[in-house]
Amino acid sequence: MKSRKTKAKKQSEMSHRRQKTDEPQKLIAKINPKSPHSELFRSIRTNIEFSSVDKPMRSILITSSEPDSGKSLICANLAVVFAQQGKKTLLIDGDLRKPTVKKIFPEALSHGLTGILTNRVTIDEAIRETEVENLYVLPAGVVPPNPSELLGSEKMKQVYAELYEIFDQIIFDTPPIQLVVDAQLLCSLVDGSILLVRSNHSSKENSKKALQKLQTANAHVIGSIFNNNKMKMDGYYYAD
């Protein structure tokens, strides 16, 4: 009897831990726009806007050196603060291998980016409006057998050009650059690229290699975001 109680208690604790793990998936910039964390995202937004004098950063790509860096949640919160500024903003899930944006915006279901690139749907049919005013999401869609080929195609360039005409701000959430070439294929399209580094998780060597890969692909690297997971909730810092 005692062992059953112990087992039930452990299961309850595991369930509680899973719930706590899911909590950071909430869009803090949406649910608490006056919080210090939301202010940090607005600071990052400002730094992005002033990162170039000659050309506005209307489209940015965010990648990381390694998985599990909190990249997708950062992309989503940044998209929220850009939308709150009154800009028509599009968040694109450019991770066609392990899509994550759909977990943050579960209402944004469609054939997505892969559907557009394989001519199954139009751009208008694939994009989804969110509960946040001015914020739209283009989910990844069905995981294809050839992500790199799709992202590096002429069709992708055409789609990007059309989206650039429609939206004021575009944010690409892409896979870790150390694992696959997807971010390298997209970084030449956008106005600027950002490397996410997670404190006590991303090694200096991997971060350096990731930066070199972006530079090799002729990316316009405008800065880095440091994700400090030691805080009660993730803290973020942007650096040129």
Side-chain angles (χ1 to χ4, degrees):
M1 188 75 174
K2 187 176 180 180
S3 62
R4 287 183 180 178
K5 286 184 177 180
T6 303
K7 186 177 181 181
K9 184 179 179 181
K10 285 183 178 179
Q11 289 176 338
S12 176
E13 288 174 350
M14 287 175 65
S15 175
H16 181 64
R17 281 198 296 270
R18 281 195 295 268
Q19 290 175 0
K20 289 186 74 176
T21 302
D22 290 341
E23 284 177 5
Q25 294 299 318
K26 295 178 181 177
L27 288 168
I28 188 67
K30 173 192 171 187
I31 62 177
N32 192 359
K34 294 184 179 180
S35 71
H37 296 92
S38 297
E39 184 58 36
L40 282 170
F41 282 113
R42 286 191 289 272
S43 296
I44 295 173
R45 179 191 66 193
T46 300
N47 285 333
I48 290 171
E49 291 173 333
F50 284 93
S51 60
S52 175
V53 177
D54 300 324
K55 184 178 181 180
M57 292 290 111
R58 288 187 48 218
S59 62
I60 60 171
L61 174 151
I62 299 179
T63 186
S64 58
S65 57
E66 296 152 340
D68 303 320
S69 57
K71 173 177 51 61
S72 294
L73 189 59
I74 290 175
C75 288
N77 277 285
L78 270 179
V80 170
V81 295
F82 272 111
Q84 289 171 341
Q85 199 179 32
K87 292 183 177 180
K88 189 176 181 181
T89 303
L90 177 66
L91 173 63
I92 301 177
D93 193 342
D95 191 341
L96 304 187
R97 302 165 191 271
K98 192 178 178 182
T100 307
V101 171
K102 63 182 180 181
K103 296 179 182 179
I104 304 172
F105 296 95
E107 72 276 15
L109 296 176
S110 79
H111 286 284
L113 183 56
T114 56
I116 299 173
L117 296 177
T118 54
N119 298 310
R120 295 186 180 183
V121 292
T122 64
I123 287 176
D124 289 340
E125 291 171 333
I127 291 174
R128 290 290 180 265
E129 194 171 357
T130 72
E131 295 177 353
V132 179
E133 188 178 359
N134 299 316
L135 179 57
Y136 299 79
V137 172
L138 177 56
V142 177
V143 175
N146 56 342
S148 299
E149 286 82 355
L150 289 178
L151 294 175
S153 66
E154 284 299 317
K155 178 70 174 180
M156 181 67 231
K157 294 178 183 178
Q158 295 169 10
V159 170
Y160 169 76
E162 288 186 47
L163 294 173
Y164 198 81
E165 292 297 318
I166 299 171
F167 292 92
D168 302 318
Q169 189 70 47
I170 298 173
I171 298 176
F172 273 96
D173 177 10
T174 63
I177 197 167
Q178 285 289 80
L179 299 182
V180 291
V181 300
D182 300 7
Q184 288 175 280
L185 294 171
L186 293 171
C187 66
S188 61
L189 298 179
V190 297
D191 295 330
S193 297
I194 297 173
L195 178 64
L196 175 66
V197 178
R198 178 178 167 185
S199 175
N200 298 321
H201 179 75
S202 305
S203 69
K204 288 184 179 180
E205 188 62 27
N206 279 344
S207 298
K208 190 179 295 184
K209 288 180 180 178
L211 182 59
Q212 289 172 346
K213 284 189 175 183
L214 283 171
Q215 293 170 337
T216 301
N218 295 319
H220 179 199
V221 182
I222 60 174
S224 299
I225 296 176
F226 293 92
N227 182 356
N228 178 12
N229 63 318
K230 286 185 178 180
M231 297 176 66
K232 187 175 181 181
M233 278 193 65
D234 285 350
Y236 312 97
Y237 175 73
Y238 176 92
D240 290 329

